[in-house]
Amino acid sequence: NAGVTQTPKFRILKIGQSMTLQCTQDMNHNYMYWYRQDPGMGLKLIYYSVGAGITDKGEVPNGYNVSRSTTEDFPLRLELAAPSQTSVYFCASSYPSGLAGGLPYEQYFGPGTRLTVT
Amino acid sequence: KNQVEQSPQSLIILEGKNCTLQCNYTVSPFSNLRWYKQDTGRGPVSLTIMTFSENTKSNGRYTATLDADTKQSSLHITASQLSDSASYICVVSQYNNNDMRFGAGTRLTVKP
């Protein structure tokens, strides 16, 4: 059981290039999320998905696109990369919102992708 | 505005000592509060989750407290170890898990 995996671990892009960050989970979670983490700041939600075929914007969606064709995969697409997109990107997954035994469901994070745009 | 503020920003303690990290939030209505540990170069890992009705939760040497009236939480680490060196992040949810607000974290360094 690998949990949440992300590729690549590191990437350097030139301004205007495009790329896709891959995220896969093997826990059969319905919910998946993409966050970005900038130095000295809290994680910010970019997009999330509540199931295959359903995606929705988070707090900072501009400049990104997502798709969810399967339960396992939730790729994040950067079109026309800009220096402001330099960040560490984390993918996460969880069971649906609600309570399991009285507690909210756990959210599991991948190891992150460090992206630099120059 | 729904915000989560953590203090201190960074902290250095000696191995074996205790420490307490603070989290204040303005997120409303409140659903739950989580503490995560994030090692350098890794994703966050959950330590505790507390709902409105809980005011303390322990996970080994980690004990989290919650005062929903004053909108404050703390994470107490007992008998610190070198492996406790990490960032500790407070996360507060509004309505449901899709609307989670993350604090900037406290960077803890444990020295021998």
Side-chain angles (χ1 to χ4, degrees), chain B residues 5 13 15 18 29 34-35 44 53 61 67 73 76 83 86 106:
Chain B
E5 302 284 343
I13 62 173
E15 187 179 12
N18 303 337
R34 305 160 189 250
W35 281 95
S53 60
R61 294 179 297 102
D67 186 334
S73 176
H76 186 74
S83 59
T106 292

Side-chain angles (χ1 to χ4, degrees), chain B residues 18-30:
Chain B
N18 303 337
C19 67
T20 300
L21 315 180
Q22 300 291 342
C23 174
N24 296 337
Y25 62 92
T26 59
V27 176
S28 182
F30 173 85

